[in-house]
Amino acid sequence: MASTIIDSRIFGDMFSDARMRDVWSDENRTAKYLDIERALAKVQGELGIIPQEAADEIVQHCELSMIDWDKLKAKTEQIGYPIIAVVNQINANCRDGLGEYCHWGATTQDITDTAAVLQMREGLALVEQDLADISEALATLAQKYRNTPVIGRSNLQQATPITFGYKMASILAGIERHRERLSQLKPRLLMGEFGGASGTLSSLEKGAMETQAGLMKELGLAQPLISWHTVRDTIAEVGAFLGLVGGSLGKIAMDVKLMMQTEVGEVFEPYAPGRGSSSTMPQKRNPISCLYIHANVSVARQHAAALMDAMVADHERSTGPWEIEWVSLPEIFCLISGALKQTKFVLQGLEVDVMRMRANMEITNGLVMSEAVMMGLGPYIGREYAHDLVYDLCRQALKENRPLIDILEDHSEINKHVNRAQLEAMCDPVNHLGQAGVMVDRVLAARRGA
């Protein structure tokens, strides 16, 4: 019976993605062990390091269907690691003792680390596709709402007008940076490990480096310059990268949650009958996906920190830090996969209420245009004096609950320089969107050119 959120039959597909769970499953992990042992035997047979007959026999028996899972579990608990248990079963299935050549010159950590790299390669391919899908959804929103005014918010207070397309494009730019980071990360990460006991391949009298090179070529991985058994920066880098991705997904979820508030009501998660309802309040339409995103990325950040702890390894084989990765790597990948899936769902079906956006800009009776008014009056009465004057008039507008434009028009120091029509132009949000459209276009152009 499942006991974690990730593997839960009820919650599993809300907190994670089934594809990512498959990547980090016992079956796939063990399949990777077998892939490596198969590739190692094949290469060593071709190099004449082990008898070709033994290589052929080992290759034939590195099959997941031949694994006895009960024996694998029992032996792993006895020894503490699963690799010997896997090798034992391969050996037992081979004829005439030819299986004794399995795992020739390797050590447990070689197989474990290389398998983890193969799993991360598969996991990152899923992340890469999800980021591309999210990028596409954000680009669509940025283009569609390029010129749609919405109030910008600073310290949760209304600030100055922006456009909703600008808001989406700013997040899109961050997602595009993640895609760039991932392409830069992969060459550093996707290298295997084959170093033997202390990393020097002392167990092989000949053909050591040739074996290492051939094994990595067979697996489609880079050959390391030197063993990295206890130098774990690349693993920690993956965690840091996924933590950064999670931060961006959390930003999306945070803004959507806030914009879904009853008093705001500018955007909504996609609607489905009953989704987000309350057990006691029939009127409720709660955010759902955003909540799971928030929870997932918060926990994933802790796992990223744990992977930093795992870097502090002792000598040439660590006593504990390595096992931190066994716990944290699968969970950070699975949690981020769930956050990515929920984010795609939100963005691809996001409901945008343009009329509510405009209405919300008007609830302050024009106060959100005070910066524009200050700058508009600056050439006539000086920017600093205009700032202080508009500040006082804003306080008056609040106290009297009157539109700012009426108070501006009535002021003698203002109406002798500008008329009502000019003030209306200053107070129209559409006239004060700055370079939002230009910036949206720049982000979209950069994305197309990538």
Side-chain angles (χ1 to χ4, degrees):
M1 181 178 292
S3 59
T4 71
I5 282 291
I6 290 172
D7 292 324
S8 169
R9 286 188 295 174
I10 299 171
F11 292 108
D13 288 331
M14 300 173 75
F15 281 92
S16 64
D17 188 306
R19 299 171 303 163
M20 192 66 81
R21 294 199 300 274
D22 287 343
V23 169
W24 296 95
S25 66
D26 286 342
E27 290 78 8
N28 192 48
R29 182 183 300 107
T30 305
K32 296 296 181 283
Y33 297 157
L34 294 168
D35 289 344
I36 299 163
E37 297 290 0
R38 182 190 303 111
L40 179 60
K42 180 177 181 291
V43 168
Q44 290 182 326
E46 292 170 351
L47 292 172
I49 294 173
I50 66 173
Q52 187 61 54
E53 183 182 16
D56 294 341
E57 184 70 8
I58 294 166
V59 166
Q60 183 180 344
H61 290 90
C62 286
E63 295 294 336
L64 191 63
S65 59
M66 298 181 180
I67 291 294
D68 184 318
W69 293 97
D70 291 335
K71 288 183 179 179
L72 176 56
K73 177 179 183 296
K75 195 74 171 178
T76 299
E77 290 174 351
Q78 175 191 351
I79 297 169
Y81 305 101
I83 303 303
I84 294 176
V86 170
V87 172
N88 286 165
Q89 292 197 37
I90 297 170
N91 189 3
N93 289 330
C94 292
R95 62 178 175 84
D96 303 329
L98 294 173
E100 294 291 344
Y101 286 99
C102 182
H103 197 69
W104 199 256
T107 191
T108 288
Q109 191 164 358
D110 291 335
I111 309 303
T112 304
D113 282 348
T114 304
V117 170
L118 293 174
Q119 288 175 281
M120 285 187 283
R121 181 169 67 184
E122 292 179 356
L124 288 175
L126 297 177
V127 171
E128 188 169 31
Q129 183 57 59
D130 285 343
L131 286 174
D133 292 343
I134 288 170
S135 173
E136 180 65 31
L138 285 167
T140 298
L141 291 167
Q143 183 66 58
K144 182 176 181 179
Y145 297 104
R146 177 187 184 275
N147 299 317
T148 301
V150 66
I151 194 64
R153 293 178 171 93
S154 172
N155 293 313
L156 295 179
Q157 307 298 304
Q158 290 201 357
T160 58
I162 58 174
T163 69
F164 190 63
Y166 167 85
K167 191 176 186 72
M168 294 296 96
S170 65
I171 297 171
L172 170 60
I175 296 296
E176 287 299 294
R177 289 191 290 272
H178 290 320
R179 296 175 72 189
E180 182 181 6
R181 288 183 184 102
L182 180 52
S183 67
Q184 295 167 346
L185 162 68
K186 286 191 288 186
R188 291 190 292 272
L189 171 71
L190 300 181
M191 64 177 177
E193 177 70 289
F194 181 70
S198 294
T200 62
L201 284 172
S202 57
S203 55
L204 294 179
E205 294 183 4
K206 62 176 183 176
M209 299 308 291
E210 291 81 2
T211 296
Q212 188 187 72
L215 175 61
M216 299 314 152
K217 182 178 180 181
E218 190 72 20
L219 297 172
L221 299 175
Q223 181 180 7
L225 296 175
I226 192 169
S227 297
W228 49 276
H229 286 155
T230 50
V231 183
R232 315 299 288 183
D233 57 289
T234 58
I235 307 298
E237 186 178 6
V238 172
F241 165 71
L242 293 175
L244 287 172
V245 169
S248 292
L249 303 182
K251 157 66 175 173
I252 295 169
M254 179 64 76
D255 280 3
V256 171
K257 281 188 296 182
L258 292 174
M259 296 175 83
M260 278 186 71
Q261 291 180 100
T262 304
E263 294 82 1
V264 180
E266 294 172 347
V267 304
F268 296 91
E269 289 186 5
Y271 175 75
R275 181 178 175 83
S277 62
S278 165
S279 62
T280 60
M281 295 170 282
Q283 87 281 4
K284 293 291 291 296
R285 184 178 176 182
N286 296 318
I288 297 299
S289 290
C290 291
L291 310 187
Y292 289 105
I293 295 166
H294 190 136
N296 278 22
V297 302
S298 295
V299 178
R301 282 197 295 273
Q302 310 312 309
H303 284 303
L307 291 174
M308 301 290 179
D309 283 341
M311 292 180 67
V312 187
D314 44 300
H315 298 302
E316 282 63 56
R317 186 78 79 249
S318 67
T319 52
W322 185 36
E323 285 76 3
I324 294 172
E325 296 174 0
W326 301 8
V327 177
S328 291
L329 265 179
E331 292 203 4
I332 192 171
F333 268 91
C334 287
L335 289 169
I336 291 298
S337 76
L340 286 164
K341 182 174 71 172
Q342 296 283 6
T343 302
K344 282 196 297 182
F345 173 77
V346 169
L347 294 176
Q348 289 171 350
L350 190 69
E351 297 180 16
V352 180
D353 190 333
V354 174
M355 298 300 294
R356 187 64 177 267
M357 289 178 176
R358 185 59 191 246
N360 284 341
M361 281 191 292
E362 296 172 355
I363 63 175
T364 64
N365 282 332
L367 293 182
V368 295
M369 300 309 299
S370 62
E371 180 194 51
V373 172
M374 175 192 73
M375 296 303 294
L377 294 177
Y380 301 103
I381 61 176
R383 195 205 68 84
E384 288 192 21
Y385 179 64
H387 174 278
D388 293 342
L389 177 60
V390 173
Y391 178 89
D392 291 338
L393 296 180
C394 285
R395 305 284 78 72
Q396 181 182 344
L398 283 169
K399 183 178 180 180
E400 298 176 5
N401 193 26
R402 290 174 60 199
L404 177 63
I405 191 170
D406 291 345
I407 292 177
L408 293 169
E409 185 183 25
D410 290 346
H411 198 280
S412 60
E413 289 190 69
I414 294 175
N415 57 32
K416 68 182 178 182
H417 297 292
V418 294
N419 58 32
R420 176 86 182 193
Q422 289 173 299
L423 288 171
E424 287 176 348
M426 292 180 194
C427 292
D428 187 345
V430 174
N431 295 332
H432 297 280
L433 298 174
Q435 301 302 306
V438 173
M439 294 179 184
V440 170
D441 292 344
R442 283 159 56 92
V443 171
L444 293 174
R447 178 181 178 274
R448 287 191 295 267

